[in-house]
mmCIF file of all heavy atoms in Angstrom:
data_model
loop_
_atom_site.group_PDB
_atom_site.id
_atom_site.type_symbol
_atom_site.label_atom_id
_atom_site.label_comp_id
_atom_site.label_asym_id
_atom_site.label_seq_id
_atom_site.Cartn_x
_atom_site.Cartn_y
_atom_site.Cartn_z
ATOM 1 N N TYR D 1 -2.047 9.189 -9.117
ATOM 2 C CA TYR D 1 -2.447 9.088 -7.718
ATOM 3 C C TYR D 1 -3.920 9.470 -7.561
ATOM 4 O O TYR D 1 -4.516 10.115 -8.431
ATOM 5 C CB TYR D 1 -1.637 10.055 -6.838
ATOM 6 C CG TYR D 1 -0.152 10.021 -7.033
ATOM 7 C CD1 TYR D 1 0.498 11.028 -7.764
ATOM 8 C CD2 TYR D 1 0.620 9.016 -6.472
ATOM 9 C CE1 TYR D 1 1.873 11.016 -7.931
ATOM 10 C CE2 TYR D 1 2.007 9.001 -6.637
ATOM 11 C CZ TYR D 1 2.620 10.004 -7.374
ATOM 12 O OH TYR D 1 3.981 9.989 -7.538
ATOM 13 N N GLN D 2 -4.464 9.093 -6.417
ATOM 14 C CA GLN D 2 -5.737 9.641 -5.969
ATOM 15 C C GLN D 2 -5.431 10.728 -4.945
ATOM 16 O O GLN D 2 -4.647 10.518 -4.017
ATOM 17 C CB GLN D 2 -6.608 8.571 -5.328
ATOM 18 C CG GLN D 2 -7.139 7.522 -6.308
ATOM 19 C CD GLN D 2 -8.011 8.108 -7.403
ATOM 20 O OE1 GLN D 2 -7.746 7.944 -8.582
ATOM 21 N NE2 GLN D 2 -9.056 8.822 -6.994
ATOM 22 N N LEU D 3 -6.028 11.888 -5.132
ATOM 23 C CA LEU D 3 -5.870 13.002 -4.201
ATOM 24 C C LEU D 3 -7.244 13.617 -3.977
ATOM 25 O O LEU D 3 -7.843 14.181 -4.909
ATOM 26 C CB LEU D 3 -4.897 14.049 -4.770
ATOM 27 C CG LEU D 3 -4.716 15.315 -3.936
ATOM 28 C CD1 LEU D 3 -4.037 15.001 -2.609
ATOM 29 C CD2 LEU D 3 -3.928 16.376 -4.698
ATOM 30 N N ASP D 4 -7.753 13.468 -2.757
ATOM 31 C CA ASP D 4 -9.092 13.980 -2.426
ATOM 32 C C ASP D 4 -10.127 13.469 -3.431
ATOM 33 O O ASP D 4 -10.930 14.240 -3.991
ATOM 34 C CB ASP D 4 -9.089 15.515 -2.408
ATOM 35 C CG ASP D 4 -8.106 16.081 -1.390
ATOM 36 O OD1 ASP D 4 -7.857 15.393 -0.387
ATOM 37 O OD2 ASP D 4 -7.581 17.186 -1.627
ATOM 38 N N SER D 5 -10.081 12.154 -3.694
ATOM 39 C CA SER D 5 -11.035 11.465 -4.580
ATOM 40 C C SER D 5 -10.897 11.859 -6.049
ATOM 41 O O SER D 5 -11.767 11.554 -6.862
ATOM 42 C CB SER D 5 -12.481 11.720 -4.126
ATOM 43 O OG SER D 5 -12.663 11.268 -2.793
ATOM 44 N N LYS D 6 -9.817 12.536 -6.418
ATOM 45 C CA LYS D 6 -9.572 12.898 -7.805
ATOM 46 C C LYS D 6 -8.275 12.251 -8.284
ATOM 47 O O LYS D 6 -7.319 12.104 -7.528
ATOM 48 C CB LYS D 6 -9.468 14.416 -7.956
ATOM 49 C CG LYS D 6 -10.767 15.160 -7.656
ATOM 50 C CD LYS D 6 -10.569 16.663 -7.839
ATOM 51 C CE LYS D 6 -11.856 17.418 -7.516
ATOM 52 N NZ LYS D 6 -11.686 18.892 -7.660
ATOM 53 N N LYS D 7 -8.257 11.874 -9.562
ATOM 54 C CA LYS D 7 -7.055 11.298 -10.157
ATOM 55 C C LYS D 7 -6.120 12.408 -10.610
ATOM 56 O O LYS D 7 -6.538 13.338 -11.308
ATOM 57 C CB LYS D 7 -7.433 10.413 -11.347
ATOM 58 C CG LYS D 7 -6.236 9.744 -12.022
ATOM 59 C CD LYS D 7 -6.698 8.870 -13.179
ATOM 60 C CE LYS D 7 -5.510 8.247 -13.906
ATOM 61 N NZ LYS D 7 -5.949 7.379 -15.019
ATOM 62 N N VAL D 8 -4.851 12.331 -10.206
ATOM 63 C CA VAL D 8 -3.853 13.312 -10.630
ATOM 64 C C VAL D 8 -2.642 12.578 -11.196
ATOM 65 O O VAL D 8 -2.263 11.517 -10.707
ATOM 66 C CB VAL D 8 -3.416 14.242 -9.472
ATOM 67 C CG1 VAL D 8 -4.558 15.110 -9.009
ATOM 68 C CG2 VAL D 8 -2.847 13.437 -8.302
ATOM 69 N N THR D 9 -2.056 13.139 -12.233
ATOM 70 C CA THR D 9 -0.876 12.529 -12.856
ATOM 71 C C THR D 9 0.389 13.336 -12.625
ATOM 72 O O THR D 9 1.493 12.815 -12.799
ATOM 73 C CB THR D 9 -1.092 12.363 -14.369
ATOM 74 O OG1 THR D 9 -1.415 13.644 -14.932
ATOM 75 C CG2 THR D 9 -2.217 11.384 -14.657
ATOM 76 N N ASN D 10 0.236 14.609 -12.248
ATOM 77 C CA ASN D 10 1.398 15.442 -11.957
ATOM 78 C C ASN D 10 1.855 15.225 -10.523
ATOM 79 O O ASN D 10 1.047 14.973 -9.628
ATOM 80 C CB ASN D 10 1.079 16.917 -12.175
ATOM 81 C CG ASN D 10 0.897 17.252 -13.636
ATOM 82 O OD1 ASN D 10 1.510 16.618 -14.505
ATOM 83 N ND2 ASN D 10 0.048 18.226 -13.928
ATOM 84 N N PHE D 11 3.148 15.348 -10.313
ATOM 85 C CA PHE D 11 3.722 15.152 -8.981
ATOM 86 C C PHE D 11 3.973 16.507 -8.335
ATOM 87 O O PHE D 11 4.604 17.386 -8.928
ATOM 88 C CB PHE D 11 5.042 14.383 -9.100
ATOM 89 C CG PHE D 11 5.699 14.084 -7.778
ATOM 90 C CD1 PHE D 11 5.361 12.949 -7.056
ATOM 91 C CD2 PHE D 11 6.663 14.937 -7.256
ATOM 92 C CE1 PHE D 11 5.970 12.665 -5.843
ATOM 93 C CE2 PHE D 11 7.275 14.669 -6.048
ATOM 94 C CZ PHE D 11 6.924 13.530 -5.343
ATOM 95 N N ASN D 12 3.470 16.674 -7.123
ATOM 96 C CA ASN D 12 3.682 17.897 -6.351
ATOM 97 C C ASN D 12 4.302 17.501 -5.019
ATOM 98 O O ASN D 12 3.659 16.828 -4.211
ATOM 99 C CB ASN D 12 2.349 18.620 -6.142
ATOM 100 C CG ASN D 12 2.500 19.964 -5.439
ATOM 101 O OD1 ASN D 12 3.377 20.136 -4.587
ATOM 102 N ND2 ASN D 12 1.662 20.920 -5.789
ATOM 103 N N ILE D 13 5.540 17.917 -4.783
ATOM 104 C CA ILE D 13 6.259 17.494 -3.588
ATOM 105 C C ILE D 13 5.546 17.927 -2.309
ATOM 106 O O ILE D 13 5.662 17.270 -1.268
ATOM 107 C CB ILE D 13 7.720 18.023 -3.619
ATOM 108 C CG1 ILE D 13 8.618 17.237 -2.663
ATOM 109 C CG2 ILE D 13 7.778 19.518 -3.320
ATOM 110 C CD1 ILE D 13 8.972 15.872 -3.124
ATOM 111 N N GLU D 14 4.771 18.995 -2.386
ATOM 112 C CA GLU D 14 4.077 19.496 -1.198
ATOM 113 C C GLU D 14 2.826 18.687 -0.872
ATOM 114 O O GLU D 14 2.279 18.810 0.220
ATOM 115 C CB GLU D 14 3.716 20.970 -1.396
ATOM 116 C CG GLU D 14 4.939 21.870 -1.542
ATOM 117 C CD GLU D 14 4.583 23.297 -1.895
ATOM 118 O OE1 GLU D 14 3.409 23.685 -1.713
ATOM 119 O OE2 GLU D 14 5.479 24.029 -2.368
ATOM 120 N N ARG D 15 2.382 17.862 -1.816
ATOM 121 C CA ARG D 15 1.174 17.065 -1.598
ATOM 122 C C ARG D 15 1.455 15.582 -1.444
ATOM 123 O O ARG D 15 0.532 14.784 -1.304
ATOM 124 C CB ARG D 15 0.196 17.272 -2.766
ATOM 125 C CG ARG D 15 -0.330 18.696 -2.890
ATOM 126 C CD ARG D 15 -1.212 18.836 -4.121
ATOM 127 N NE ARG D 15 -1.776 20.177 -4.213
ATOM 128 C CZ ARG D 15 -2.485 20.611 -5.251
ATOM 129 N NH1 ARG D 15 -2.700 19.804 -6.280
ATOM 130 N NH2 ARG D 15 -2.962 21.836 -5.259
ATOM 131 N N ILE D 16 2.712 15.197 -1.513
ATOM 132 C CA ILE D 16 3.059 13.775 -1.580
ATOM 133 C C ILE D 16 2.493 12.969 -0.413
ATOM 134 O O ILE D 16 2.086 11.822 -0.583
ATOM 135 C CB ILE D 16 4.593 13.578 -1.691
ATOM 136 C CG1 ILE D 16 4.921 12.087 -1.892
ATOM 137 C CG2 ILE D 16 5.328 14.165 -0.507
ATOM 138 C CD1 ILE D 16 6.385 11.816 -2.168
ATOM 139 N N ALA D 17 2.421 13.558 0.771
ATOM 140 C CA ALA D 17 1.917 12.818 1.937
ATOM 141 C C ALA D 17 0.438 12.465 1.797
ATOM 142 O O ALA D 17 -0.052 11.572 2.492
ATOM 143 C CB ALA D 17 2.140 13.630 3.203
ATOM 144 N N ARG D 18 -0.273 13.144 0.894
ATOM 145 C CA ARG D 18 -1.707 12.900 0.711
ATOM 146 C C ARG D 18 -1.994 12.019 -0.503
ATOM 147 O O ARG D 18 -3.136 11.652 -0.750
ATOM 148 C CB ARG D 18 -2.448 14.226 0.574
ATOM 149 C CG ARG D 18 -2.380 15.081 1.840
ATOM 150 C CD ARG D 18 -2.744 16.528 1.546
ATOM 151 N NE ARG D 18 -4.041 16.648 0.886
ATOM 152 C CZ ARG D 18 -4.402 17.685 0.123
ATOM 153 N NH1 ARG D 18 -3.538 18.689 -0.059
ATOM 154 N NH2 ARG D 18 -5.595 17.727 -0.436
ATOM 155 N N TYR D 19 -0.955 11.683 -1.265
ATOM 156 C CA TYR D 19 -1.161 10.866 -2.452
ATOM 157 C C TYR D 19 -1.431 9.403 -2.086
ATOM 158 O O TYR D 19 -0.779 8.834 -1.214
ATOM 159 C CB TYR D 19 0.072 10.898 -3.348
ATOM 160 C CG TYR D 19 0.279 12.175 -4.134
ATOM 161 C CD1 TYR D 19 1.553 12.577 -4.502
ATOM 162 C CD2 TYR D 19 -0.793 12.969 -4.535
ATOM 163 C CE1 TYR D 19 1.771 13.736 -5.235
ATOM 164 C CE2 TYR D 19 -0.588 14.137 -5.261
ATOM 165 C CZ TYR D 19 0.688 14.513 -5.604
ATOM 166 O OH TYR D 19 0.892 15.658 -6.327
ATOM 167 N N VAL D 20 -2.366 8.795 -2.816
ATOM 168 C CA VAL D 20 -2.583 7.352 -2.754
ATOM 169 C C VAL D 20 -2.282 6.809 -4.145
ATOM 170 O O VAL D 20 -2.936 7.187 -5.126
ATOM 171 C CB VAL D 20 -4.033 6.999 -2.348
ATOM 172 C CG1 VAL D 20 -4.234 5.485 -2.365
ATOM 173 C CG2 VAL D 20 -4.354 7.575 -0.972
ATOM 174 N N ALA D 21 -1.284 5.960 -4.243
ATOM 175 C CA ALA D 21 -0.855 5.460 -5.553
ATOM 176 C C ALA D 21 -1.899 4.534 -6.160
ATOM 177 O O ALA D 21 -2.485 3.694 -5.465
ATOM 178 C CB ALA D 21 0.477 4.734 -5.414
ATOM 179 N N ASN D 22 -2.125 4.671 -7.473
ATOM 180 C CA ASN D 22 -3.065 3.790 -8.176
ATOM 181 C C ASN D 22 -2.416 2.483 -8.626
ATOM 182 O O ASN D 22 -3.117 1.468 -8.766
ATOM 183 C CB ASN D 22 -3.657 4.520 -9.390
ATOM 184 C CG ASN D 22 -4.667 5.580 -8.985
ATOM 185 O OD1 ASN D 22 -5.474 5.355 -8.084
ATOM 186 N ND2 ASN D 22 -4.621 6.743 -9.628
ATOM 187 N N ASN D 23 -1.090 2.505 -8.861
ATOM 188 C CA ASN D 23 -0.366 1.296 -9.301
ATOM 189 C C ASN D 23 -1.124 0.586 -10.422
ATOM 190 O O ASN D 23 -1.320 -0.628 -10.414
ATOM 191 C CB ASN D 23 -0.146 0.340 -8.117
ATOM 192 C CG ASN D 23 0.759 0.922 -7.057
ATOM 193 O OD1 ASN D 23 1.694 1.655 -7.369
ATOM 194 N ND2 ASN D 23 0.487 0.622 -5.799
ATOM 195 N N GLU D 24 -1.574 1.365 -11.411
ATOM 196 C CA GLU D 24 -2.539 0.849 -12.385
ATOM 197 C C GLU D 24 -1.936 0.054 -13.530
ATOM 198 O O GLU D 24 -2.652 -0.674 -14.239
ATOM 199 C CB GLU D 24 -3.378 2.007 -12.943
ATOM 200 C CG GLU D 24 -2.609 3.024 -13.783
ATOM 201 C CD GLU D 24 -2.084 4.210 -12.994
ATOM 202 O OE1 GLU D 24 -1.466 3.984 -11.932
ATOM 203 O OE2 GLU D 24 -2.276 5.352 -13.434
ATOM 204 N N LEU D 25 -0.633 0.185 -13.773
ATOM 205 C CA LEU D 25 -0.012 -0.554 -14.871
ATOM 206 C C LEU D 25 0.462 -1.915 -14.364
ATOM 207 O O LEU D 25 1.167 -2.003 -13.354
ATOM 208 C CB LEU D 25 1.170 0.226 -15.433
ATOM 209 C CG LEU D 25 0.861 1.651 -15.928
ATOM 210 C CD1 LEU D 25 2.125 2.314 -16.429
ATOM 211 C CD2 LEU D 25 -0.195 1.629 -17.024
ATOM 212 N N THR D 26 0.073 -2.965 -15.053
ATOM 213 C CA THR D 26 0.451 -4.310 -14.619
ATOM 214 C C THR D 26 1.217 -5.030 -15.723
ATOM 215 O O THR D 26 0.920 -4.879 -16.919
ATOM 216 C CB THR D 26 -0.784 -5.141 -14.233
ATOM 217 O OG1 THR D 26 -1.664 -5.233 -15.359
ATOM 218 C CG2 THR D 26 -1.515 -4.506 -13.057
ATOM 219 N N PHE D 27 2.201 -5.802 -15.306
ATOM 220 C CA PHE D 27 3.025 -6.592 -16.216
ATOM 221 C C PHE D 27 3.192 -7.981 -15.608
ATOM 222 O O PHE D 27 3.275 -8.124 -14.377
ATOM 223 C CB PHE D 27 4.414 -5.970 -16.402
ATOM 224 C CG PHE D 27 4.392 -4.552 -16.903
ATOM 225 C CD1 PHE D 27 4.172 -3.482 -16.029
ATOM 226 C CD2 PHE D 27 4.589 -4.277 -18.242
ATOM 227 C CE1 PHE D 27 4.154 -2.172 -16.486
ATOM 228 C CE2 PHE D 27 4.567 -2.965 -18.711
ATOM 229 C CZ PHE D 27 4.348 -1.913 -17.836
ATOM 230 N N GLN D 28 3.268 -8.972 -16.444
ATOM 231 C CA GLN D 28 3.570 -10.311 -15.967
ATOM 232 C C GLN D 28 5.074 -10.403 -15.738
ATOM 233 O O GLN D 28 5.870 -10.010 -16.592
ATOM 234 C CB GLN D 28 3.141 -11.365 -16.989
ATOM 235 C CG GLN D 28 3.366 -12.799 -16.530
ATOM 236 C CD GLN D 28 2.579 -13.143 -15.275
ATOM 237 O OE1 GLN D 28 1.390 -12.881 -15.199
ATOM 238 N NE2 GLN D 28 3.254 -13.701 -14.282
ATOM 239 N N GLY D 29 5.462 -10.870 -14.547
ATOM 240 C CA GLY D 29 6.888 -11.038 -14.262
ATOM 241 C C GLY D 29 7.548 -11.906 -15.324
ATOM 242 O O GLY D 29 6.916 -12.785 -15.915
ATOM 243 N N TRP D 30 8.841 -11.658 -15.591
ATOM 244 C CA TRP D 30 9.519 -12.319 -16.697
ATOM 245 C C TRP D 30 10.404 -13.463 -16.200
ATOM 246 O O TRP D 30 10.959 -13.417 -15.085
ATOM 247 C CB TRP D 30 10.357 -11.318 -17.482
ATOM 248 C CG TRP D 30 10.913 -10.204 -16.650
ATOM 249 C CD1 TRP D 30 12.102 -10.163 -15.998
ATOM 250 C CD2 TRP D 30 10.248 -8.966 -16.336
ATOM 251 N NE1 TRP D 30 12.244 -8.984 -15.328
ATOM 252 C CE2 TRP D 30 11.112 -8.223 -15.509
ATOM 253 C CE3 TRP D 30 9.001 -8.425 -16.688
ATOM 254 C CZ2 TRP D 30 10.780 -6.967 -15.017
ATOM 255 C CZ3 TRP D 30 8.681 -7.178 -16.208
ATOM 256 C CH2 TRP D 30 9.561 -6.453 -15.383
ATOM 257 N N PRO D 31 10.570 -14.504 -17.030
ATOM 258 C CA PRO D 31 11.399 -15.645 -16.618
ATOM 259 C C PRO D 31 12.884 -15.306 -16.536
ATOM 260 O O PRO D 31 13.630 -15.869 -15.743
ATOM 261 C CB PRO D 31 11.125 -16.687 -17.707
ATOM 262 C CG PRO D 31 10.678 -15.888 -18.899
ATOM 263 C CD PRO D 31 9.942 -14.716 -18.343
ATOM 264 N N ASN D 32 13.330 -14.355 -17.382
ATOM 265 C CA ASN D 32 14.722 -13.894 -17.354
ATOM 266 C C ASN D 32 14.771 -12.501 -17.971
ATOM 267 O O ASN D 32 13.809 -12.047 -18.605
ATOM 268 C CB ASN D 32 15.650 -14.862 -18.078
ATOM 269 C CG ASN D 32 15.277 -15.012 -19.543
ATOM 270 O OD1 ASN D 32 15.485 -14.104 -20.342
ATOM 271 N ND2 ASN D 32 14.693 -16.165 -19.891
ATOM 272 N N CYS D 33 15.884 -11.824 -17.796
ATOM 273 C CA CYS D 33 15.980 -10.412 -18.202
ATOM 274 C C CYS D 33 16.114 -10.224 -19.710
ATOM 275 O O CYS D 33 16.089 -9.085 -20.192
ATOM 276 C CB CYS D 33 17.144 -9.744 -17.479
ATOM 277 S SG CYS D 33 16.864 -9.594 -15.695
ATOM 278 N N GLN D 34 16.286 -11.312 -20.455
ATOM 279 C CA GLN D 34 16.344 -11.208 -21.912
ATOM 280 C C GLN D 34 14.980 -11.466 -22.546
ATOM 281 O O GLN D 34 14.830 -11.308 -23.761
ATOM 282 C CB GLN D 34 17.364 -12.222 -22.465
ATOM 283 C CG GLN D 34 18.763 -12.101 -21.880
ATOM 284 C CD GLN D 34 19.426 -10.775 -22.173
ATOM 285 O OE1 GLN D 34 19.125 -10.127 -23.168
ATOM 286 N NE2 GLN D 34 20.342 -10.355 -21.301
ATOM 287 N N ALA D 35 14.006 -11.838 -21.742
ATOM 288 C CA ALA D 35 12.687 -12.194 -22.256
ATOM 289 C C ALA D 35 11.993 -10.985 -22.877
ATOM 290 O O ALA D 35 12.238 -9.836 -22.499
ATOM 291 C CB ALA D 35 11.823 -12.776 -21.134
ATOM 292 N N ARG D 36 11.110 -11.270 -23.843
ATOM 293 C CA ARG D 36 10.373 -10.201 -24.506
ATOM 294 C C ARG D 36 9.535 -9.408 -23.510
ATOM 295 O O ARG D 36 9.383 -8.183 -23.624
ATOM 296 C CB ARG D 36 9.472 -10.803 -25.590
ATOM 297 C CG ARG D 36 8.565 -9.786 -26.278
ATOM 298 C CD ARG D 36 9.367 -8.669 -26.950
ATOM 299 N NE ARG D 36 8.507 -7.518 -27.257
ATOM 300 C CZ ARG D 36 8.947 -6.278 -27.420
ATOM 301 N NH1 ARG D 36 10.241 -6.026 -27.311
ATOM 302 N NH2 ARG D 36 8.127 -5.306 -27.694
ATOM 303 N N SER D 37 8.992 -10.079 -22.502
ATOM 304 C CA SER D 37 8.172 -9.397 -21.495
ATOM 305 C C SER D 37 8.990 -8.385 -20.694
ATOM 306 O O SER D 37 8.486 -7.316 -20.330
ATOM 307 C CB SER D 37 7.524 -10.418 -20.562
ATOM 308 O OG SER D 37 8.483 -11.323 -20.052
ATOM 309 N N ALA D 38 10.265 -8.679 -20.437
ATOM 310 C CA ALA D 38 11.141 -7.735 -19.735
ATOM 311 C C ALA D 38 11.431 -6.526 -20.628
ATOM 312 O O ALA D 38 11.430 -5.373 -20.166
ATOM 313 C CB ALA D 38 12.446 -8.417 -19.336
ATOM 314 N N THR D 39 11.656 -6.787 -21.912
ATOM 315 C CA THR D 39 11.897 -5.688 -22.857
ATOM 316 C C THR D 39 10.664 -4.805 -22.974
ATOM 317 O O THR D 39 10.767 -3.575 -23.043
ATOM 318 C CB THR D 39 12.282 -6.254 -24.236
ATOM 319 O OG1 THR D 39 13.427 -7.096 -24.096
ATOM 320 C CG2 THR D 39 12.590 -5.129 -25.222
ATOM 321 N N HIS D 40 9.488 -5.421 -23.004
ATOM 322 C CA HIS D 40 8.237 -4.654 -23.081
ATOM 323 C C HIS D 40 8.099 -3.727 -21.876
ATOM 324 O O HIS D 40 7.663 -2.569 -22.016
ATOM 325 C CB HIS D 40 7.044 -5.616 -23.151
ATOM 326 C CG HIS D 40 5.718 -4.935 -23.039
ATOM 327 N ND1 HIS D 40 5.255 -4.026 -23.969
ATOM 328 C CD2 HIS D 40 4.743 -5.010 -22.075
ATOM 329 C CE1 HIS D 40 4.068 -3.584 -23.601
ATOM 330 N NE2 HIS D 40 3.738 -4.155 -22.459
ATOM 331 N N TYR D 41 8.454 -4.218 -20.694
ATOM 332 C CA TYR D 41 8.404 -3.400 -19.476
ATOM 333 C C TYR D 41 9.279 -2.152 -19.637
ATOM 334 O O TYR D 41 8.844 -1.024 -19.368
ATOM 335 C CB TYR D 41 8.868 -4.230 -18.278
ATOM 336 C CG TYR D 41 9.018 -3.480 -16.983
ATOM 337 C CD1 TYR D 41 7.948 -3.305 -16.115
ATOM 338 C CD2 TYR D 41 10.255 -2.944 -16.604
ATOM 339 C CE1 TYR D 41 8.080 -2.616 -14.920
ATOM 340 C CE2 TYR D 41 10.405 -2.252 -15.412
ATOM 341 C CZ TYR D 41 9.312 -2.095 -14.577
ATOM 342 O OH TYR D 41 9.461 -1.406 -13.397
ATOM 343 N N ILE D 42 10.522 -2.342 -20.101
ATOM 344 C CA ILE D 42 11.448 -1.227 -20.282
ATOM 345 C C ILE D 42 10.909 -0.246 -21.322
ATOM 346 O O ILE D 42 10.940 0.981 -21.128
ATOM 347 C CB ILE D 42 12.844 -1.737 -20.710
ATOM 348 C CG1 ILE D 42 13.446 -2.647 -19.617
ATOM 349 C CG2 ILE D 42 13.784 -0.566 -21.006
ATOM 350 C CD1 ILE D 42 13.610 -2.014 -18.275
ATOM 351 N N GLU D 43 10.401 -0.758 -22.423
ATOM 352 C CA GLU D 43 9.884 0.107 -23.483
ATOM 353 C C GLU D 43 8.692 0.927 -23.012
ATOM 354 O O GLU D 43 8.565 2.114 -23.353
ATOM 355 C CB GLU D 43 9.489 -0.745 -24.691
ATOM 356 C CG GLU D 43 10.687 -1.349 -25.413
ATOM 357 C CD GLU D 43 10.291 -2.358 -26.482
ATOM 358 O OE1 GLU D 43 9.114 -2.806 -26.491
ATOM 359 O OE2 GLU D 43 11.155 -2.705 -27.313
ATOM 360 N N ARG D 44 7.807 0.312 -22.225
ATOM 361 C CA ARG D 44 6.621 1.030 -21.732
ATOM 362 C C ARG D 44 7.019 2.097 -20.718
ATOM 363 O O ARG D 44 6.496 3.220 -20.749
ATOM 364 C CB ARG D 44 5.652 0.033 -21.094
ATOM 365 C CG ARG D 44 4.337 0.643 -20.643
ATOM 366 C CD ARG D 44 3.486 1.047 -21.818
ATOM 367 N NE ARG D 44 2.160 1.482 -21.377
ATOM 368 C CZ ARG D 44 1.606 2.637 -21.713
ATOM 369 N NH1 ARG D 44 2.258 3.472 -22.499
ATOM 370 N NH2 ARG D 44 0.396 2.953 -21.288
ATOM 371 N N VAL D 45 7.950 1.773 -19.830
ATOM 372 C CA VAL D 45 8.428 2.762 -18.850
ATOM 373 C C VAL D 45 9.094 3.926 -19.576
ATOM 374 O O VAL D 45 8.875 5.096 -19.246
ATOM 375 C CB VAL D 45 9.395 2.106 -17.836
ATOM 376 C CG1 VAL D 45 10.109 3.163 -16.994
ATOM 377 C CG2 VAL D 45 8.640 1.144 -16.928
ATOM 378 N N GLU D 46 9.904 3.626 -20.570
ATOM 379 C CA GLU D 46 10.575 4.670 -21.355
ATOM 380 C C GLU D 46 9.553 5.585 -22.022
ATOM 381 O O GLU D 46 9.694 6.820 -22.006
ATOM 382 C CB GLU D 46 11.468 4.031 -22.410
ATOM 383 C CG GLU D 46 12.210 5.041 -23.275
ATOM 384 C CD GLU D 46 13.068 4.358 -24.324
ATOM 385 O OE1 GLU D 46 12.495 3.718 -25.235
ATOM 386 O OE2 GLU D 46 14.305 4.475 -24.253
ATOM 387 N N GLU D 47 8.517 4.997 -22.596
ATOM 388 C CA GLU D 47 7.476 5.778 -23.274
ATOM 389 C C GLU D 47 6.798 6.739 -22.301
ATOM 390 O O GLU D 47 6.600 7.920 -22.612
ATOM 391 C CB GLU D 47 6.443 4.822 -23.875
ATOM 392 C CG GLU D 47 5.261 5.517 -24.537
ATOM 393 C CD GLU D 47 4.165 4.537 -24.921
ATOM 394 O OE1 GLU D 47 4.360 3.302 -24.780
ATOM 395 O OE2 GLU D 47 3.084 4.994 -25.350
#
């Protein structure tokens, strides 16, 4: 998130209203759920 112009990666429930999400990870949508791109999404989220 961005918090007061600084990047933060830890989540603080007391500051959530001030967080601006960076949404920085991008993936190409997959044609079906068995596609390699869908598996890559799951593997990256797991990591």
Side-chain angles (χ1 to χ4, degrees):
Y1 311 103
Q2 291 299 123
L3 176 66
D4 301 332
S5 301
K6 294 180 181 179
K7 181 179 177 179
V8 294
T9 56
N10 290 330
F11 182 86
N12 185 327
I13 199 74
E14 297 173 17
R15 296 176 177 174
I16 185 173
R18 296 163 54 204
Y19 285 152
V20 177
N22 287 319
N23 295 325
E24 66 267 49
L25 303 179
T26 59
F27 303 81
Q28 183 61 49
W30 32 90
N32 61 72
C33 293
Q34 304 297 333
R36 175 59 197 157
S37 51
T39 303
H40 172 64
Y41 173 87
I42 298 301
E43 290 171 345
R44 185 70 173 127
V45 169
E46 180 181 67
E47 177 189 354

